[in-house]
Amino acid sequence: ATAGSGDVLSGVLAAFIGQFVGTATRLGHASADSPSGSNLDLFQATCAAVHTHGLAAEQWANKAQASAGMLATDLCDQLPSTVERLRCHQPT
């Protein structure tokens, strides 16, 4: 891991919680509809964020043909296409 990669993961997790976890769940109450219409609990959102973060790093490594040297900004740059691939269920 490089400096800032944990910050990127935190940002992905915060975004997933904001988009996919219902307000009541975030407040510790019974589940409610999330803004996106897709309900996840906090554990599921965390798993999805970690998976997306790791997949983005893997895709960057494949694209760069490198196993080291990725910066947090490289990871940020890779995230939009990774999320789109996951959203469309495209193979990685």
Side-chain angles (χ1 to χ4, degrees):
T2 60
S5 61
D7 296 328
V8 174
L9 175 57
S10 295
V12 173
L13 178 55
F16 282 17
I17 289 172
Q19 291 180 56
F20 303 118
V21 176
T23 305
T25 301
R26 290 193 304 263
L27 297 175
H29 305 294
S31 65
D33 290 333
S34 69
S36 69
S38 298
N39 255 341
L40 299 177
D41 63 29
L42 290 174
F43 179 76
Q44 292 168 322
T46 302
C47 290
V50 169
H51 177 73
T52 302
H53 182 267
L55 188 58
E58 185 177 293
Q59 289 175 345
W60 176 88
N62 290 338
K63 187 167 70 174
Q65 297 182 344
S67 60
M70 181 182 68
L71 303 174
T73 54
D74 297 328
L75 189 54
C76 288
D77 292 342
Q78 183 62 44
L79 279 168
S81 63
T82 301
V83 169
E84 186 60 27
R85 280 182 157 189
L86 289 170
R87 184 174 288 144
C88 296
H89 304 290
Q90 296 176 356
T92 56

